[in-house]
Amino acid sequence: MLGYRRFSDSQLVEEIKAGNEDALLSMYKSYFSMVKSFILKNSGREEEIDDVFQDSLIAVWRNVNKEGFTLTVKMSTYLMAIVKNLWFKQLKKKTRFTVVDESLKEKISAENISTDHLDHALIHQMVDELDDTCKKLLGYFYFDGFENKVIAEKMGFANTDTVKSKKYQCFKKLQLAVQEKYTKGDFFN
């Protein structure tokens, strides 16, 4: 490519320490597609790529300029470690605000679910096919409004992680049962 110089990894370190911004341009041109691919494959959007990449380049610049810095891996590996760290921190912040059933403030109860349009016999049949543990667990959570900690105590589970895992397994069982017996057309016109 014209317009920028490619540096070896050791040259990049030397040029960054010397304050040569061409080293950053070289890194940008060399590694942008790799960073873009990683972010897009990990729930990212186009508009998030530049910020993460720029923050990563700034971190590389600062770290290289710290006294005693030695690059012990390839520059691409070092940069991607920073990119991944920053991206996963950002993802963690984003997902902290997504609605997950355990974080709902208002519990779902039988009284506030409109079921006028549903076939109650179908619902009973599908729930009856679940094992007793699943029926109890889902009932405690969705209809009694119990927290995972209380459910763990009531059902003799080791901890709340076990409750979450078992709840997920119960939903998967229910989903598979529905998919085996019905098609989309059975529910939606």
Side-chain angles (χ1 to χ4, degrees):
M1 288 184 180
L2 297 176
Y4 81 99
R5 179 177 163 208
R6 285 192 78 114
F7 296 100
S8 68
D9 289 351
S10 58
Q11 288 173 322
L12 278 172
V13 171
E14 289 172 23
E15 294 300 319
I16 290 171
K17 285 183 177 185
N20 184 353
E21 292 181 9
D22 287 344
L24 289 181
L25 178 61
S26 175
M27 289 179 69
Y28 188 89
K29 298 277 188 182
S30 298
Y31 305 128
F32 181 79
S33 62
M34 180 173 54
V35 171
K36 177 181 178 179
S37 175
F38 169 78
I39 291 174
L40 292 177
K41 286 179 183 175
N42 287 280
S43 306
R45 296 184 321 262
E46 290 278 343
E47 59 269 16
E48 296 170 308
I49 297 166
D50 283 335
D51 288 341
V52 173
F53 192 42
Q54 288 170 7
D55 289 345
S56 300
L57 289 175
I58 291 168
V60 168
W61 186 275
R62 287 181 179 156
N63 291 343
V64 167
N65 281 300
K66 287 181 181 174
E67 192 172 323
F69 176 86
T70 305
L71 185 67
T72 58
V73 295
K74 289 173 39 178
M75 182 58 82
S76 60
T77 304
Y78 184 71
L79 174 68
M80 284 306 295
I82 293 172
V83 167
K84 289 176 183 180
N85 187 31
L86 289 175
W87 179 244
F88 288 134
K89 278 184 184 177
Q90 188 170 325
L91 267 183
K92 191 174 181 181
K93 286 180 188 174
K94 280 177 26 176
T95 57
R96 193 177 298 161
F97 297 106
T98 59
V99 178
V100 178
D101 59 0
E102 286 82 25
S103 67
L104 290 174
K105 297 284 186 207
E106 182 182 340
K107 292 293 176 194
I108 298 171
S109 67
E111 295 80 35
N112 64 14
I113 298 175
S114 172
T115 59
D116 297 341
H117 63 288
L118 298 177
D119 181 350
H120 294 283
L122 170 71
I123 295 169
H124 285 284
Q125 177 190 358
M126 299 312 295
V127 171
D128 280 343
E129 290 178 13
L130 292 174
D131 59 60
D132 288 339
T133 302
C134 284
K135 287 182 206 175
K136 248 186 199 176
L137 189 151
L138 296 175
Y140 284 155
F141 187 79
Y142 288 103
F143 294 99
D144 297 330
F146 293 147
E147 297 291 327
N148 287 340
K149 185 177 180 182
V150 174
I151 296 171
E153 292 167 4
K154 284 182 135 329
M155 297 190 72
F157 292 149
N159 54 41
T160 59
D161 289 335
T162 306
V163 173
K164 291 176 193 174
S165 177
K166 187 65 179 169
K167 190 175 5 164
Y168 174 78
Q169 292 168 8
C170 292
F171 276 121
K172 288 309 268 181
K173 283 181 189 177
L174 190 57
Q175 179 184 17
L176 287 172
V178 169
Q179 288 174 337
E180 285 174 5
K181 292 184 180 198
Y182 302 98
T183 66
K184 182 179 177 182
D186 293 326
F187 296 99
F188 306 102
N189 296 329

